[in-house]
Each structure stands twice: as C-alpha cells, then as structure tokens.
Amino acid sequence: MGKVVVIGSGVAGLACAIRLKAKGYEVTVVEANSYPGGKLTEFTSNGYRFDAGPSLFTMPTYVDELFEISNEDPREYFNYKKLTHSCNYFYEDGTRLTAPSDPNEFATVMHDRLGENRRSVLRFLRKSGRMFRITAPVFLEKSLHKWSTYFSFSGIRGILNLWRLRMFSSMDSVNRSSFSSYKTVQFFNRFATYNGSNPYKAPATLNVIPHLEFGYGTFLPENGMHDITASLYQLALRKGIQFEFNTNVTEIVIDQKKVKGIKAGERTIDAELVVSNMDVYHTYKRLMKGFELPQRIEEAEPSSSALIFYWGIKGSFPELDLHNVFFTREYAKEFESIFNYGSIYPDPTIYINITSKHVSKDAPEGCENWFVMINVPANKGQDWDTMVTRARINILEKLRRILGKDLKPYIETEEVLDPVKIESRTSSRKGSLYGSSSNSRFSAFFRHPNFKSGVKGLYFCGGSVHPGGGIPLCLLGAKIVASMVKPIK
Ligand code: FAD
C-alpha cells in the first residue's frame, strides 16, 4: 500500500519524494544519472570546485520547510548566509555599481551611480512586493488548474487585483515608464532572465522578481549551491527513501486510466502514484504510450538556455564578488538574437559567479573558480561548436575591455556546458533552463498542470510544469503535488 515512484532526482523530484514520504508513502526515486540533483549539481577540476547549474539562491525557507515537515532541524544539516550585497554591475561606459540588498541603501546607490530618482526606485520595489503578495498565493502556491484555487479567499483577491499585474504591458515598457535612466531600465529588465524570458515581450507581471532579491534577500549555502540538493538527498536517505541511479525510466504503466508503476527497460516497479520530474515534453513523448502531448505544450516557446565556461583562474580579482554582471550596450538586440534568430549576440551580457570569494576551499589559494555564463537560445540544431568558439573570443574581449586585463594567461582549467549538454544530461527540452519561457501573457496558465486529468495517480513536478522553473518554483511545484495526495494513515 502507498507506493510512489518519482522519476528523476532534480530539486523538485527530491522535494516531492521527501514530502510524500512525510505523508506516509513508501517512496522510490529512479534517476537516469549516477548522481542526484539534476541541474543542481557540482564537479571538481584541478583543485577547483564548481556548481554546475544554479548560482543564485532565493527563498531558502522552502528548503528549510522540507526538513521541518520531516521533523528535523534544518540548521543541523543545511546552513546558508544572507548576502549584504546582491551583485556587482559593470556597464560598457565604465559605470560600476554594487547593489546592496537593503532597499534604501540600494535606492541611494542607484541615485548616486545612475542618477536615478531614489523615490522611483523605492516606489518600484514597493510595487514589486505588493504584486508578489497578490500573485504568490494564487499563481505560485496553488494549482491554477483546480476550481478551488479561484474560489478561495486568496484566489478571489488575486482575480480582483489582476489589473495591478500589468499583464498586457511588457516588462520593458513598464520599466521605461518607471525610470529615467536607460541603465536602470536595463538593470530591472535583466530580471526576466531569471526564468529565461525576454523583457521586451514578457508581461510586466515578472516585475515581481526583484522583490525576491530586495524584499527577501539573496543567500549562499555554506558549501555552495550544491549543498541544496546534497542535503536534501541526505535527508531523503535518512527518512528511508530508496534511490535507483543509472536507471532510465522508459515507460509509465497506465491501465484503465490508472497508474500501475513504471518500466525501466525490462524491469517493472509497481506503484500507485508516479510523479514525473522529467521534462513534461519528454515524459509524454517517451514514457506515456498512447497519450497525445497537449498542443499548447508542443507549441510553447522554450526558455533561453545558457553557455557556461567554468574557468579555474590563477589569480584574484578584488573588483569582483560572488555575483557579477557585465552588461551589453544593446540589450534589445541581445534578446532579439536569442529569441528571434536562435543565435548568440556578439556582445553578450556576461554573468560571472565566483563562490570562492565566500567559500575559500572552492579554489586553490590565491586562485578563483569562475562560472562565466551568457544567455543563449535553446537548442534547435545550431552549429554549437562554431558558436561556442566565437562566443569565447567575444567574452574574453569584452572582459578585457571592462576589466582592463587579458584573461587568457589566467585560465588554468576550463570546462564548457552548452544547451546540447544540458539537454543530454537532464532531458530538458532543447536544453532550456526553465521549461517554457514567460514571453506570452498567458504562459502561467499554459504550463502543464501538476497532475494528469483522466489518469489517477499521475503527477508532474519540476521546471517544465506549473508554477515554472528556478529553485523556489520547483520547490513550490513539489508542494502543490503533495497537497493533492491524501496522507496514508
Ligand atoms: P532537473 O534538474 O531538470 O532534473 C531532472 C532529473 O530527471 C535529472 O536528474 C534527469 O537525469 C532525470 N530524468 C529525466 N528523465 C529521466 C528518466 N526517463 N528516467 C530517470 N531519470 C530521468 N535556478 C535558480 O533558481 N537560480 C539560478 O541561478 C539558476 N541558474 C541556472 C543555471 C543553469 C546553467 C541551469 C542549467 C539552470 C539554472 N537554474 C537556476 C534553473 C534550475 O536549475 C532548474 O529550474 C531546476 O534545477 C530544475 O529542477 P527540476 O526538478 O525540474 O529537475
């Protein structure tokens, strides 16, 4: 009685497994890779440790909650610190700023560095917070595909306040009308990339995202981002969840509209509930025989992907910190390149993450572990070898321009991650980072629900389904799945 199989051990799969175990189920997680964590994993090279995927951590309480519902104290197993400064920004004209996490200090910096009106910045952040409080209980914490959501207090409040969300204006247009400086607009437009979207198309509803950074803050786990999935995996083991690695699920067995289990090659594992943490597109295409992929999922525009150079840097750069952004001059053209032409913009916005600034053991003494990322299109069969070679040259040239140093002699190790590798390592459709983009006004409603209507016992969690990608949303998706499942007495 009460057997569950979770397909995939991404952060949402782990969270779902822990939640269902806490509800009394016998849970097995089946994972194609030899390690847990999916995109949220790590590797080492020549004495440098790198977080392979996510680098920005917000809403850590959603991780803590998983320990708490398992009757454990998170502080015994998972610790993180709040950052006083969220990120360093570099513009091509030589302007530099370090953004404090405190809204008042931040508004002062935006005034002093960019000439922006302090009050405009504070007003914008207040609105962002108000919008977050309206949207989160309806759009993020509940299923959008159950009537009960709309007839709850928060649902009715959300609907009555929909006009405030500026769904019919783009992020960029609202940001242009909110600020006088192009650089401030660019600063706030960048938040669209937090879910792989285009600020020139995505609805201004996404202006809730800055509230995560300036309302709740940004955090870093004690041992880097990998701590998140590593500690959840350990928690799952302590609670008796079974893991099967190197096991590729090939079918979800469904009989008479009821889940019966899964098949992995010749092997069958029986279960009453199956939760797929695999990208929903591939779940339908590869695992659900006889089921048509809903058209809106087939046609959904994938989110952007990423090209990452992991560089072991022999040297230290005091002008950099944990998070650093080097803006392009022509932001609109960069997004046009990514989303309209499927190409990499020659002068890309570069993000550099250096955990060794805070976790000294992540790099040899006097050295730094650089995670150098640019946004790139999803994989549509482009010539990635040529594109990656060209992008590397452009990145090095841009950093030389802004930092005033040729970095080539500093690079002592290098690994590369591109959309093709992201796709092959985690089954993400076209290597997208966050499932489908939020470029359409209705994308929140078009994502696949966390359940399959008409099939008893089949659920979905992870970045490709409601409420979307990114660690906090993946964790909320797992919570929604668990809320739909009855506890075992
Ligand atoms: P995934 O991590 O996609 O894992 C799915 C798992 O399912 C994989 O382990 C896969 O092997 C397994 N699987 C798939 N098919 C099968 C099968 N048939 N059988 C068995 N197992 C299977 N988010 C943030 O919040 N902050 C960031 O800074 C950030 N930056 C990012 C940078 C990069 C480079 C990337 C790649 C992502 C980033 N993200 C970020 C997004 C975030 O990583 C994802 O949204 C999140 O980790 C996705 O988790 P998931 O649970 O959907 O599963």
Side-chain angles (χ1 to χ4, degrees):
M1 266 295 283
K3 282 193 176 175
V4 179
V5 167
V6 178
I7 304 169
S9 65
V11 68
L14 289 169
C16 227
I18 292 165
R19 285 188 176 277
L20 294 176
K21 183 73 194 177
K23 286 199 143 188
Y25 287 87
E26 197 181 303
V27 184
T28 304
V29 179
V30 185
E31 167 57 56
N33 289 325
S34 57
Y35 53 85
K39 296 183 179 74
L40 221 171
T41 184
E42 69 170 359
F43 68 92
T44 53
S45 172
N46 265 336
Y48 294 87
R49 190 199 70 86
F50 295 96
D51 283 311
S55 52
L56 179 70
F57 186 31
T58 53
M59 309 298 278
T61 48
Y62 296 152
V63 179
D64 288 347
E65 225 176 86
L66 296 167
F67 289 88
E68 285 152 7
I69 61 157
S70 308
N71 301 317
E72 288 196 0
D73 175 3
R75 296 295 75 79
E76 273 187 43
Y77 302 99
F78 175 64
N79 286 291
Y80 47 82
K81 67 173 172 188
K82 188 171 181 180
L83 303 172
T84 54
H85 291 85
S86 62
C87 187
N88 288 336
Y89 293 87
F90 299 78
Y91 294 85
E92 282 273 358
D93 67 356
T95 307
R96 293 180 178 195
L97 68 90
T98 298
S101 308
D102 174 77
N104 281 302
E105 287 176 31
F106 169 66
T108 303
V109 168
M110 295 304 265
H111 173 264
D112 294 351
R113 293 299 165 121
L114 306 186
E116 193 57 66
N117 185 316
R118 267 190 101 251
R119 267 187 294 182
S120 305
V121 175
L122 287 171
R123 195 181 314 122
F124 186 88
L125 293 181
R126 268 197 308 275
K127 268 194 202 163
S128 175
R130 199 183 314 136
M131 273 161 59
F132 183 84
R133 285 186 290 278
I134 294 167
T135 47
V138 193
F139 289 89
L140 306 180
E141 292 169 9
K142 290 197 176 135
S143 173
L144 283 181
H145 309 87
K146 297 265 183 199
W147 287 113
S148 54
T149 300
Y150 300 98
F151 291 113
S152 62
F153 172 72
S154 57
I156 292 168
R157 186 168 157 258
I159 290 163
L160 292 176
N161 280 288
L162 269 181
W163 62 275
R164 287 183 196 273
L165 304 181
R166 313 286 301 264
M167 275 172 75
F168 294 97
S169 308
S170 72
M171 263 181 111
D172 175 65
S173 70
V174 167
N175 293 349
R176 269 188 290 118
S177 66
S178 307
F179 302 112
S180 59
S181 153
Y182 169 76
K183 288 183 200 139
T184 316
V185 174
Q186 191 172 24
F187 182 102
F188 282 105
N189 277 356
R190 195 180 78 89
F191 286 95
T193 64
Y194 284 27
N195 72 2
S197 302
N198 174 353
Y200 300 89
K201 284 194 176 162
T205 320
L206 294 197
N207 279 333
V208 297
I209 300 173
H211 182 65
L212 296 184
E213 271 192 34
F214 296 101
Y216 293 101
T218 52
F219 300 81
L220 180 69
E222 218 166 47
N223 298 304
M225 295 296 284
H226 178 245
D227 247 7
I228 299 170
T229 41
S231 65
L232 291 181
Y233 173 56
Q234 290 304 325
L235 167 62
L237 289 179
R238 284 196 299 280
K239 293 294 148 187
I241 294 170
Q242 303 292 314
F243 284 82
E244 305 238 1
F245 291 107
N246 300 306
T247 309
N248 188 34
V249 174
T250 46
E251 187 182 337
I252 298 172
V253 184
I254 299 166
D255 186 29
Q256 298 187 355
K257 300 184 177 176
K258 229 171 143 185
V259 152
K260 297 287 177 195
I262 58 106
K263 277 189 184 167
E266 296 301 303
R267 233 178 110 212
T268 302
I269 304 180
D270 295 333
E272 285 138 55
L273 304 183
V274 169
V275 184
S276 178
N277 177 215
M278 184 188 195
D279 190 302
V280 70
Y281 178 90
H282 291 304
T283 303
Y284 271 83
K285 295 275 179 185
R286 298 182 194 163
L287 309 189
M288 291 171 62
K289 282 190 188 150
F291 286 84
E292 281 278 312
L293 180 72
Q295 202 179 345
R296 63 179 198 286
I297 309 292
E298 181 90 53
E299 289 170 358
E301 181 186 35
S303 81
S304 55
S305 186
L307 169 61
I308 297 152
F309 295 96
Y310 307 90
W311 287 338
I313 293 280
K314 209 173 163 73
S316 64
F317 287 71
E319 63 271 58
L320 303 182
D321 197 355
L322 177 67
H323 301 293
N324 311 275
V325 169
F326 298 77
F327 274 123
T328 179
R329 269 185 210 278
E330 304 274 3
Y331 219 20
K333 285 191 180 156
E334 182 176 6
F335 285 99
E336 209 174 273
S337 237
I338 296 171
F339 286 100
N340 298 2
Y341 303 117
S343 61
I344 300 181
Y345 190 55
D347 174 30
T349 297
I350 303 169
Y351 164 73
I352 304 184
N353 176 254
I354 311 173
T355 60
S356 62
K357 294 278 186 190
H358 293 252
V359 186
S360 57
K361 63 183 179 201
D362 282 356
E365 212 180 322
C367 303
E368 294 178 345
N369 63 340
W370 287 25
F371 166 110
V372 181
M373 172 175 142
I374 59 171
N375 294 310
V376 303
N379 177 30
K380 292 172 188 155
Q382 299 94 323
D383 175 1
W384 286 104
D385 287 346
T386 307
M387 282 163 68
V388 169
T389 306
R390 226 177 270 151
R392 187 179 188 277
I393 295 169
N394 291 336
I395 289 170
L396 284 166
E397 171 51 25
K398 185 178 177 78
L399 294 176
R400 189 200 57 72
R401 250 185 349 255
I402 298 181
L403 293 175
K405 269 186 191 147
D406 178 12
L407 288 169
K408 284 193 254 21
Y410 290 85
I411 301 172
E412 66 167 1
T413 66
E414 177 175 86
E415 301 286 337
V416 182
L417 185 70
D418 63 20
V420 178
K421 286 185 194 152
I422 295 173
E423 186 168 14
S424 70
R425 286 178 193 171
T426 61
S427 288
S428 262
R429 184 189 184 194
K430 299 181 190 291
S432 70
L433 303 193
Y434 301 95
S436 54
S437 79
S438 292
N439 291 343
S440 131
R441 283 168 186 86
F442 299 106
S443 41
F445 298 94
F446 288 170
R447 285 203 180 86
H448 197 286
N450 301 101
F451 57 93
K452 172 72 186 158
S453 60
V455 179
K456 199 162 175 238
L458 180 54
Y459 297 90
F460 304 90
C461 67
S464 65
V465 296
H466 179 70
I471 301 163
L473 298 196
C474 284
L475 293 172
L476 284 174
K479 192 171 178 178
I480 294 171
V481 169
S483 73
M484 291 175 180
V485 172
K486 285 202 182 91
I488 299 267
K489 290 183 186 110

